[in-house]
Amino acid sequence: MQVRYHKITLMKWKLVFITLIALLYTVSGDEHDHVYKEGDEVVIWMNTVGPLNNKQETYPYFQLPFCKGPSDVEHHHETIGEALQGMDLENSGIPIRYLNTESNKEICTKSLDTKDVDVLHYAIDNQYWYTMFVDDLPLSGTVGAVEEDTEGTTHSRTFYVYTHKKFIFKYNEDKIISVSLEHAGKQELKYQKPIDLTFTYSVSWTPTDILFKNRFDSLLEADFFEHKVHWLSIFSSFMMVLFLTGLVSIILLRTVKRDFSRYDREEGLTDFDRDLGDEYGWKQVHSDVFRQPPRLMLLSSLMGTGSQLVILTGVVILYSIIGDLYVERATILTTTIFLYAIISFAAGYTSSRYYSFYGGKDWVRTVIMTASLLPGVVTLIAGFINALAIYYSSSRAISFYTLFSIVLLWLFLCFPLTLLGTIVNRNWGSQSEFPCRVNPIPRPIPEKVWYAEPLVIVALGGILPFGSIFIEIYFIFTSFWTYKIYYVYGFMLLVFIILLIVSACVAIVSTYFLLNSEDHRWHWVSFMTCASTAGYIYLYSIYYFFTKTKMTGMFQTSLYFGYTAMLSFGMFCMLGFVGHTASTLFVRKIYQNVKID
């Protein structure tokens, strides 16, 4: 009887589970699986509205005095990526049905008072535009238009608001392939005069042979992203890689080999002859080259963060190439956040390994600094931007729920994984020894020519890595700040690989010149030589702001330079890690192969 009871109970749970799945399938039909039957509702999700020149300065669509249609009005439940990008999806209420044609059908009627008219005047005068989504397809339109009339010495401006939306759908069997929007119904808005506006819409459906998997192709601007300039930039960067790898090869195969021969020859001289010889070069700093660098904890944290960002960037680019993440709203940002949290293990492992390699003892503070370094910088910048967004009532304002979710993600995923990486390295990581012993007293650094000074090397070192990517940065900036869909991740992968190779080569060359001038302060120099590329990226962003955009206002300007500062800091950590890692391998190699007294 007991067995029979358990079987009946199990069957009941199976029935409940199947019922829930059926209900979920029913609820998640239409735009969730992109499959429609004739008469199914096609939801028009209104997103945000804002100035045309300040495309990242966005506000909820219904902050403007527009009305909603008769359909059920509800908010779309955003992902964390959509929330961070300021998306505020709300059902427009326009009752569109799949394959049902409509003509001049009323949506709603709105009575505008003088304040509402002034709001629309301001929006039209500042070229406000709005965005919406239909079956995950982005769509945009303008609020209204201004007509200027000049007769003699008089100049007048007439403001019109568009009250009619015409949706033109293309479909293939049971799927929506494309949708476009046309405006009509210009209604004049007279200054401070109340008016009643009736909003209408029309819908037309046209069959097409375009496959569903290719429906985003019409939204991709191939003429821009696949321009010959893009290809030429890749070619020039590749030639730079050949030049630098050739230079590094010369250093490794000829210059360093000649140094080895000279040092070996001096080993055979008597003490008297050796004193008369001219010993010089990187061998003279062998007792200082593996000395613990100043601010070891900070450098270890930067190395850990940099390793995390290198892995994250490579994984996201590859995932974007394979998965076409641009076809889903904010999927790339959401994916990046969770991958960043997961890859925190690498940050903890790398920082702990570097810290312990140079004899660091305070590993607890190192873990906290590593886990908090990048999130702390982002929090400071994003906090300032979020305060402005709240003040301006922008949709960019991050809600408490989203902030709470991010804090929980850091507390229960990022920090524990960083700690786990540290524990794994401390208990199971292999520790290598220095090729040379370190003297307790540092060797004095001799005077040298001005271009061999660390500051000069750092300042000049970032030019070549920046030169290999600045064309790609232009395309990325243009994509992000003007809402173009960036899809050429194959280009980005090539540029990313080229950037890593160029950075490694520049770091090796800079480290060799510094050590050859008998200066043992190579740790921070090798890191900062490549990390200085971030400074050139930020300088380029200033040039781009004033020459390529028409952005105005405190909020948009802060948003632009704040986001660019986050990007630059990420590049600072990432390229610094690449440069210092390459230099560490180079230094260990050359000092392993030289005879030390």
Side-chain angles (χ1 to χ4, degrees):
M1 291 294 293
Q2 188 174 4
V3 174
R4 183 180 178 184
Y5 172 77
H6 283 302
K7 287 184 177 180
I8 294 173
T9 305
L10 183 61
M11 290 180 66
K12 287 182 178 179
W13 279 111
K14 285 183 177 179
L15 182 60
V16 171
F17 179 75
I18 293 171
T19 305
L20 285 174
I21 293 296
L23 287 172
L24 286 173
Y25 182 80
T26 303
V27 172
S28 64
D30 301 337
E31 71 174 28
H32 295 84
D33 58 9
H34 306 290
V35 176
Y36 294 85
K37 298 188 298 291
E38 185 173 356
D40 283 348
E41 182 182 12
V42 178
V43 181
I44 307 295
W45 293 106
M46 305 309 298
N47 185 22
T48 55
V49 65
L52 181 63
N53 292 330
N54 297 349
K55 292 190 175 183
Q56 301 294 330
E57 181 185 341
T58 56
Y59 305 92
Y61 176 80
F62 287 105
Q63 273 193 6
L64 294 182
F66 294 136
C67 55
K68 303 168 185 177
S71 294
D72 294 333
V73 178
E74 58 184 12
H75 277 78
H76 177 80
H77 298 289
E78 301 97 343
T79 64
I80 191 171
E82 289 175 329
L84 292 176
Q85 286 188 354
M87 292 184 176
D88 188 26
L89 304 184
E90 190 171 351
N91 192 340
S92 66
I94 302 175
I96 296 179
R97 299 288 172 176
Y98 191 67
L99 298 183
N100 288 4
T101 301
E102 303 288 352
S103 178
N104 295 318
K105 190 172 182 179
E106 181 178 338
I107 302 174
C108 58
T109 299
K110 178 77 172 181
S111 296
L112 305 184
D113 56 21
T114 56
K115 183 179 179 181
D116 293 333
V117 172
D118 289 344
V119 170
L120 281 180
H121 263 266
Y122 179 84
I124 296 170
D125 192 33
N126 286 274
Q127 298 178 292
Y128 268 45
W129 71 307
Y130 56 87
T131 57
M132 60 177 75
F133 288 91
V134 182
D135 193 49
D136 284 344
L137 292 168
L139 203 60
S140 62
T142 55
V143 173
V146 179
E147 292 185 0
E148 300 189 10
D149 185 20
T150 304
E151 294 183 1
T153 58
T154 61
H155 178 76
S156 62
R157 304 175 73 205
T158 305
F159 291 81
Y160 295 93
V161 62
Y162 293 120
T163 59
H164 183 78
K165 294 180 174 66
K166 182 179 180 181
F167 296 94
I168 304 170
F169 287 87
K170 291 183 180 181
Y171 68 96
N172 188 340
E173 297 180 352
D174 55 358
K175 293 182 174 65
I176 295 175
I177 302 302
S178 69
V179 57
S180 58
L181 177 66
E182 294 181 358
H183 295 97
K186 290 168 58 177
Q187 182 71 44
E188 183 180 353
L189 294 175
K190 295 184 179 179
Y191 182 67
Q192 288 192 339
K193 286 189 177 182
I195 187 175
D196 292 336
L197 295 179
T198 299
F199 295 90
T200 58
Y201 73 101
S202 298
V203 182
S204 64
W205 297 88
T206 305
T208 181
D209 295 329
I210 299 175
L211 299 178
F212 178 79
K213 65 179 182 179
N214 299 325
R215 68 174 186 158
F216 267 85
D217 291 352
S218 60
L219 302 176
L220 306 179
E221 301 185 33
D223 292 340
F224 175 75
F225 286 106
E226 299 181 34
H227 195 274
K228 61 181 181 181
V229 173
H230 212 162
W231 288 101
L232 288 174
S233 70
I234 298 293
F235 178 75
S236 62
S237 299
F238 179 72
M239 296 304 295
M240 184 183 299
V241 167
L242 292 180
F243 168 74
L244 285 174
T245 51
L247 183 61
V248 171
S249 299
I250 291 175
I251 291 176
L252 293 177
L253 298 179
R254 297 187 59 183
T255 308
V256 176
K257 185 177 180 180
R258 186 175 64 247
D259 292 340
F260 282 140
S261 300
R262 177 166 56 86
Y263 292 146
D264 290 341
R265 186 173 60 253
E266 290 174 354
E267 290 294 328
L269 298 176
T270 62
D271 292 340
F272 178 76
D273 293 334
R274 188 180 303 172
D275 290 337
L276 292 179
D278 54 343
E279 283 196 10
Y280 63 90
W282 50 267
K283 182 184 176 183
Q284 307 309 309
V285 294
H286 69 272
S287 59
D288 297 281
V289 74
F290 292 105
R291 187 178 303 280
Q292 183 182 104
R295 293 175 291 278
L296 174 62
M297 186 180 297
L298 176 60
L299 183 56
S300 301
S301 301
L302 289 170
M303 289 290 289
T305 303
S307 66
Q308 183 181 9
L309 292 179
V310 169
I311 298 172
L312 175 67
T313 305
V315 171
V316 170
I317 292 175
L318 289 173
Y319 190 34
S320 300
I321 293 174
I322 297 171
D324 288 340
L325 298 185
Y326 60 83
V327 302
E328 298 289 342
R329 291 187 299 266
T331 304
I332 293 178
L333 180 57
T334 305
T335 303
T336 301
I337 291 172
F338 282 98
L339 285 176
Y340 172 84
I342 294 172
I343 303 173
S344 297
F345 176 87
Y349 186 89
T350 304
S351 64
S352 174
R353 182 178 177 83
Y354 188 85
Y355 188 66
S356 59
F357 181 72
Y358 284 100
K361 302 298 182 182
D362 195 356
W363 65 272
V364 176
R365 289 178 59 195
T366 305
V367 172
I368 296 174
M369 181 178 288
T370 302
S372 307
L373 186 61
L374 182 61
V377 172
V378 171
T379 300
L380 289 175
I381 298 174
F384 174 73
I385 296 174
N386 197 51
L388 287 177
I390 295 173
Y391 176 78
Y392 283 94
S393 301
S394 171
S395 64
R396 288 276 175 180
I398 303 174
S399 66
F400 174 78
Y401 172 77
T402 304
L403 288 174
F404 186 66
S405 301
I406 294 174
V407 171
L408 290 180
L409 186 68
W410 185 85
L411 282 176
F412 294 104
L413 198 57
C414 290
F415 184 78
L417 286 176
T418 305
L419 179 61
L420 179 62
T422 301
I423 294 173
V424 169
N425 174 71
R426 285 177 57 83
N427 290 278
W428 296 284
S430 59
Q431 296 294 335
S432 55
E433 297 181 354
F434 297 138
C436 312
R437 70 177 186 272
V438 179
N439 284 347
I441 301 176
R443 186 176 188 272
I445 299 173
E447 294 185 1
K448 46 185 176 295
V449 293
W450 65 271
Y451 53 81
E453 291 291 339
L455 287 178
V456 178
I457 293 175
V458 168
L460 297 178
I463 295 177
L464 288 178
F466 173 74
S468 67
I469 63 169
F470 85 96
I471 295 295
E472 196 64 29
I473 290 176
Y474 166 76
F475 285 101
I476 294 174
F477 276 26
T478 303
S479 170
F480 183 79
W481 296 111
T482 62
Y483 280 110
K484 296 179 185 291
I485 299 177
Y486 188 95
Y487 67 96
V488 284
Y489 288 97
F491 280 110
M492 183 180 286
L493 180 61
L494 289 175
V495 171
F496 179 64
I497 294 173
I498 289 172
L499 175 63
L500 297 185
I501 296 174
V502 171
S503 299
C505 292
V506 167
I508 291 173
V509 173
S510 301
T511 301
Y512 176 78
F513 285 141
L514 186 72
L515 294 177
N516 211 42
S517 62
E518 299 181 18
D519 190 338
H520 56 79
R521 299 170 298 179
W522 66 275
H523 300 89
W524 276 103
V525 172
S526 62
F527 185 93
M528 295 297 296
T529 295
C530 297
S532 64
T533 305
Y536 290 102
I537 292 175
Y538 202 78
L539 290 175
Y540 175 78
S541 73
I542 299 174
Y543 163 80
Y544 184 90
F545 180 83
F546 287 105
T547 61
K548 304 296 182 181
T549 73
K550 297 180 181 179
M551 299 178 186
T552 57
M554 175 67 176
F555 179 53
Q556 176 64 42
T557 303
S558 301
L559 195 70
Y560 177 86
F561 287 107
Y563 280 13
T564 308
M566 293 183 198
L567 170 67
S568 298
F569 183 75
M571 297 293 288
F572 176 88
C573 298
M574 183 173 68
L575 297 183
F577 163 76
V578 172
H580 189 66
T581 301
S583 295
T584 300
L585 295 174
F586 170 73
V587 170
R588 290 180 63 85
K589 188 67 176 177
I590 62 174
Y591 283 97
Q592 280 176 347
N593 296 329
V594 69
K595 296 178 181 179
I596 305 297
D597 294 335

